[in-house]
Structures are given as C-alpha cells and as structure tokens.
Amino acid sequence: MTAPMTTPTGVRTAARGGAGTTRTARRRRVQHPWAIVAFVAPFAAMFALFYLVPIGVAIWQSMLVVEREGTYGAATEVFGGFQQYALVFQNEAFWSSVGRVLLFGVVQVPVMLGLALLFALLLDSPLVRGKKFFRLAFFAPYAVPGVIAAIMWGFLYSPNLSPFEALTSRVDLLSADFVLWAIANVVTWVFVGYNMLIIYSTLLAIPQEVYEAARIDGAGQARIAWSIKIPLVRPALVLTAVLSIIGTLQLLAEPQTFRSFSSAVTSTYTPNMTIYATSAVPNVSLAAAFSVVLALATFILSFAFLRFARRKGVDA
C-alpha cells in the first residue's frame, strides 16, 4: 500500500480556501456600514464647515481686488490673481512682525518647555510631597484667560501701579527693549502648566518595572530622570513644541492687550495684529492674503520641526 500524498495543487487550494475564508470573515465584520457613516458624518460635517470652508473662502477672497469707476465710483470686487500676494511680500511691517514672533519663539518656547519638563519630573519624583497641590498650582494659570492674564501682568509691569515699584522704576518693562520679553513672561506663566500635564501624563504611562530595573542596577533618581524619563517623554516634548510653534505665530491676545499699557506695541506688532488691523481698514482681501501666507509659514515651520525631531530620534 502507498501512503496518501498531498499535491501542491491541493496545498494551493487549501491556502486559497483559507484566504477566502479570512476575506469572508473580514467582510462579515462590517455588518452596519450606515452606523459608521452616522457616527463619522457629524465630525466630517463640522470639520468641513468650520475648517475646510473657511480655508477655501480665505483663499478665494485673497484672489480678489477692489476696483472703482472713477474716484467716487462704486467699489466692485474682481478676480485679480496673485496681486494681493505681491503686496504681502512687499509689506515690511508684516515681515517685521513675523521676524519678531520668530525671535519670541526661539527664546520663549525652549524656556517654557524646559520649565514644563522640570516641573513634570519633580511631580513624578518619589521624593516630592504634596503632588496634588503642586499639580493644581502649576496648572491654575492656564485656567486664567489670556486677556485677563495680560491685564494683570500689565498692572504689575506699570511703574505707577506695580507693587514692585523698586524694580519697575529702574527697569521699564513696557519699553520697546523689554516689552516683547514681558509678553513672553505672560505666555510662559499661562502655558507652562498645560505643557507640564502633557509631559506628566506621559511619565505616568512608563511601566514601573523600568524604574525597578534601573534601581537594581544602582541608578539614582537623577540618573533615572536623565537616562530613562527624558528619552521616553521625547514624543510628548515634540508634541508640545509643535503646539507652541503654532501658538507663537498666532500670538494676538497678549500683545493686543499690552497696547493699553505700552506705546511700543503697535497695531502691526505681530502677524495676527497686522491681519486684524488690515481687515479693519477695511481691506479684507489683503488680510486674507496675509492669513494664507501665515498659515503656510506655520505649516512649513511645524513640518520642518517634525522632520528634524524624527531625524534626531532615528539617529539616537
């Protein structure tokens, strides 16, 4: 008698049968496609209505120019192509404001994230007591609206109103030389706690076994923080850095409020203030062109930082 043999054709047939069964099982899992549509549709509608449509309207508005028949003729908007963008790149005030906020971000963002990381590491340390109190105390400034925080700090900076008259009478924090960093202090005070919570939540997700293994190897708290915690919270640092870059280029509330305290803060002090002042002229088309250019600059800087952070992460 001869033993039964399995032919390659039979093997392929069985494999095909298994693959077909798998595809059938996957197909059977989607039993209620309309339920998926029902859950996704509200988000998709809101995303399109409040994100995609405004972007499209801004781009279209930036392509229009105003023409008049004679000096006092009725104004009509006509398609002008990239004429408004040519004016954007010729506007020195706008690019000066962009350079100002970039300088602001180069200094303020690392300081803010450094403090947020330090506070998160302190809260995660077993040597610190009263963690609930300090977590709330660090986060509390974020609950204060930006305008209210700017007004409060504006009074503290004012030489005639500040309780720290000995300092403000010698150093004019609202002068052209210091007002940018006075605003940076307000933004740092407000957002350190917010970024700290993002980093701290990442620290809480690290398995305790990693710390136990490090302690068995003789590592102290400082060594654990430097060699284990900081490398593992790098994704959170990248996230907070990207959010901070976007927020820096959108700076508006604090400098707009500081105009009441300092003559050094002009109506074109930041890009968003330039857009706001231009739309109030009114020159909505030019303001829309400013907005589109600022959005592209924000995207390019954020994307470049993400590529840089990813490359550094791969190299590490």
Side-chain angles (χ1 to χ4, degrees):
M1 297 178 64
T2 58
M5 299 180 64
T6 304
T7 63
T9 305
V11 174
R12 286 195 298 269
T13 303
R16 291 174 182 173
T21 304
T22 303
R23 284 195 296 269
T24 303
R26 290 177 180 174
R27 195 176 295 114
R28 288 177 179 174
R29 291 190 189 122
V30 186
Q31 296 180 356
H32 305 286
W34 289 108
I36 299 175
V37 174
F39 280 109
V40 174
F43 167 78
M46 294 297 174
F47 181 78
L49 183 61
F50 294 104
Y51 188 79
L52 297 181
V53 172
I55 291 177
V57 171
I59 294 175
W60 170 252
Q61 186 67 47
S62 67
M63 297 289 183
L64 302 178
V65 294
V66 177
E67 290 186 352
R68 296 178 182 272
E69 295 182 1
T71 305
Y72 303 102
T76 57
E77 289 184 334
V78 298
F79 183 79
F82 294 99
Q83 293 184 30
Q84 300 291 359
Y85 292 96
L87 296 176
V88 169
F89 288 100
Q90 295 172 7
N91 193 295
E92 295 182 2
F94 176 74
W95 293 108
S96 296
S97 68
V98 171
R100 190 175 293 111
V101 296
L102 288 179
L103 175 62
F104 176 96
V106 167
V107 177
Q108 187 268 338
V109 171
V111 171
M112 178 179 62
L113 296 185
L115 290 174
L117 176 62
L118 176 63
F119 293 156
L121 290 174
L122 289 175
L123 287 178
D124 193 59
S125 173
L127 305 178
V128 176
R129 297 182 179 179
K131 294 182 179 180
K132 293 183 179 180
F133 168 78
F134 287 109
R135 185 169 64 231
L136 179 60
F138 291 149
F139 183 74
Y142 182 70
V144 179
V147 174
I148 303 300
I151 293 174
M152 180 182 68
W153 280 97
F155 281 114
L156 293 176
Y157 293 148
S158 179
N160 300 326
L161 302 172
S162 176
F164 309 104
E165 185 178 356
L167 173 63
T168 56
S169 61
R170 297 180 180 180
V171 180
D172 188 1
L173 297 174
L174 298 176
S175 64
D177 295 330
F178 294 102
V179 69
L180 181 65
W181 311 118
I183 296 172
N185 178 65
V186 178
V187 176
T188 302
W189 180 79
V190 172
F191 287 98
V192 160
Y194 170 80
N195 293 297
M196 178 207 68
L197 282 186
I198 296 177
I199 300 171
Y200 181 59
S201 63
T202 306
L203 287 172
L204 294 179
I206 299 176
Q208 293 297 318
E209 292 80 2
V210 178
Y211 300 146
E212 293 176 2
R215 283 191 288 267
I216 291 174
D217 291 339
Q221 291 299 322
R223 182 65 176 178
I224 291 174
W226 180 259
S227 300
I228 296 178
K229 293 183 179 180
I230 294 179
L232 290 179
V233 299
R234 184 177 298 170
L237 289 173
V238 172
L239 172 63
T240 53
V242 171
L243 295 177
S244 300
I245 291 172
I246 297 172
T248 297
L249 291 172
Q250 294 179 348
L251 192 64
L252 176 64
E254 291 81 6
Q256 186 74 20
T257 305
F258 265 68
R259 289 194 66 192
S260 303
F261 298 96
S262 174
S263 59
V265 180
T266 63
S267 61
T268 58
Y269 197 73
T270 66
N272 264 351
M273 291 178 67
T274 304
I275 295 169
Y276 182 80
T278 304
S279 63
V281 169
N283 192 343
V284 180
S285 296
L286 182 58
F290 280 137
S291 301
V292 173
V293 171
L294 181 61
L296 289 175
T298 304
F299 170 78
I300 291 171
L301 284 176
S302 303
F303 182 76
F305 177 80
L306 284 174
R307 290 292 300 271
F308 173 78
R310 182 180 301 175
R311 184 175 301 175
K312 287 295 182 180
V314 172
D315 292 343

